[in-house]
Amino acid sequence: MRSPRRFRRPTLAALSAGVLLAAAGCAEGGDRTAKGTTGTAKAEDVLLQPLASPGPGPFTASTARATASPTATPDPAPPSATRTVHRVSGAAPGLYGGSRSVAACDVERQTELLTGDKGKGRAFADASGIEAVQIPGYLKSLTPVVLSVDAQVTNHGYGAGRATAFQAVLQAGTAVLVDGRGMPRVRCACGNPLGPPEAADGKAAHRGERWPGYDPARIVAVEPGAKAATSLIIVDTDDNTWIQRAVGDSGGRDRTPDEPPPFEPDAELLFPSPGRPTGSAPPEPAPSDPAPSAPEEPTDPGPGESADEFGDPPPDGPWEYEEGEPDVAPEPTQVFPAEPDEPAGPEEEPMEADLGDVFTG
């Protein structure tokens, strides 16, 4: 079976291979080649997590579901030497994919596994910002999909009765549960709770197994959509068409959008290209407003009034943050600063560490 890679149009059809994690299982061994800092996600090491790798400290066995995998032609372009993280709204059409009427994860099984182990349930709830008794309702509110691109997240492994945060890049095709703002919250391969990525102080280095098609310059950091949505626009990985999936639904109410995005599903739209300004990306879906009639004279809002009652619109697409060519391997990187205008932090040597001791009970 071909591992999901970066493809050009029509490309997203092969992403259904991501849910084959169910066959891989979640053995306790995992990839222990990098270490996150206990108690914080601001680590200088970023762990690459391929589809078949359960990773360190899995919370549960895999709940990802397998589907057929169409064949696609991989992009032969060599990976970039400089790592760049592109910020993308969780509501951007095409960020996620899935098969029509098929859930990428078994949410009921995931609930049983987490509620059946009180220790892991408490640790999962703490990392997710909820109470343990809320786990069933919380998981039911999430939507099972697969990532269409490689994405950095704050992952959490389980060990010694608690969750330990570490930075990770999940391979495109990974099955995840996302919330109403499009944020990945659970990795279905091992039930690990997920959070937004954090910037490293200075430079960061990637550890772990690199998958075919991995490109350090093509990683996204998902940001919450402008507002909670009732549905997500995802890509049908079987025929490269659009699906509108209701938030909190496992695919039973999937339908074709009444107003599909005005572009074809294409992972390339999430990244800058020579023909498109840097930072451009598919805009978030928004209700269309009737065109206002032009006033005869410019109008000025009265005291205490705003010219735009909704305030400034959110950015249209990802913001690119990158650092120049590194001199040594592994590639040094700047993930992204807290604010675009802040000067880059001091450079530090990549931290060599081992995850084995963090997640041992």
Side-chain angles (χ1 to χ4, degrees):
M1 181 190 71
R2 188 186 301 276
S3 175
R5 304 165 68 177
R6 180 168 61 92
F7 305 123
R8 298 191 184 276
R9 188 178 338 203
T11 62
L12 296 178
L15 292 176
S16 58
V19 292
L20 290 175
L21 290 167
C26 274
E28 284 294 328
D31 188 342
R32 300 175 182 266
T33 57
K35 181 176 181 178
T37 304
T38 303
T40 177
K42 293 184 178 180
E44 294 179 351
D45 285 312
V46 180
L47 176 63
L48 299 179
Q49 293 199 274
L51 296 176
S53 171
F59 270 72
T60 69
S62 175
T63 60
R65 287 174 169 167
T67 59
S69 176
T71 303
T73 303
D75 185 350
S80 306
T82 302
R83 176 182 137 100
T84 307
V85 174
H86 306 267
R87 297 185 179 185
V88 177
S89 167
L95 177 60
Y96 299 108
S99 295
R100 187 179 295 269
S101 302
V102 177
C105 312
D106 187 337
V107 178
E108 291 185 2
R109 178 60 178 160
Q110 188 68 67
T111 302
E112 292 174 358
L113 293 172
L114 286 173
T115 56
D117 187 314
K118 292 184 178 180
K120 290 183 177 181
R122 284 193 298 269
F124 178 91
D126 288 343
S128 302
I130 60 174
E131 298 293 333
V133 295
Q134 296 176 308
I135 289 177
Y138 173 69
L139 293 177
K140 190 175 181 180
S141 72
L142 304 179
T143 311
V145 291
V146 298
L147 287 166
S148 66
V149 289
D150 299 343
Q152 182 168 336
V153 297
T154 296
N155 204 338
H156 297 81
Y158 178 78
R162 60 182 178 138
T164 302
F166 62 97
Q167 292 302 297
V169 173
L170 304 182
Q171 184 182 5
T174 296
V176 293
L177 298 177
V178 302
D179 64 18
R181 293 181 181 267
M183 296 297 295
R185 294 302 182 189
V186 181
R187 184 180 182 223
C188 302
C190 297
N192 290 10
L194 305 176
E198 296 287 346
D201 295 329
K203 295 180 179 180
H206 282 180
R207 311 294 182 193
E209 178 185 354
R210 301 192 180 197
W211 46 85
Y214 163 77
D215 188 339
R218 298 173 61 84
I219 300 171
V220 302
V222 182
E223 296 187 326
K227 59 182 180 179
T230 58
S231 62
L232 300 173
I233 305 299
I234 67 174
V235 178
D236 190 330
T237 55
D238 295 324
D239 58 13
N240 200 44
T241 58
W242 294 113
I243 297 174
Q244 183 170 334
R245 176 165 293 179
V247 170
D249 185 68
S250 294
R253 292 186 288 162
D254 283 357
R255 63 187 181 87
T256 301
D258 294 331
E259 296 183 7
F263 47 85
E264 296 179 14
D266 192 342
E268 297 296 314
L269 291 170
L270 298 172
F271 301 100
S273 70
R276 185 171 62 257
T278 298
S280 63
E284 296 185 19
S288 57
D289 296 324
S293 57
E296 295 181 0
E297 296 181 359
T299 59
D300 196 22
E305 297 180 358
S306 171
D308 181 2
E309 61 176 322
F310 297 101
D312 294 333
D316 289 336
W319 302 303
E320 182 176 350
Y321 298 86
E322 64 179 287
E323 186 167 281
E325 291 286 342
D327 296 328
V328 295
E331 69 263 4
T333 64
Q334 179 67 38
V335 180
F336 48 80
E339 297 292 339
D341 295 334
E342 288 182 8
E347 295 187 356
E348 300 178 5
E349 290 297 323
M351 176 177 60
E352 293 288 350
D354 183 22
L355 277 173
D357 297 333
V358 180
F359 301 103
T360 57

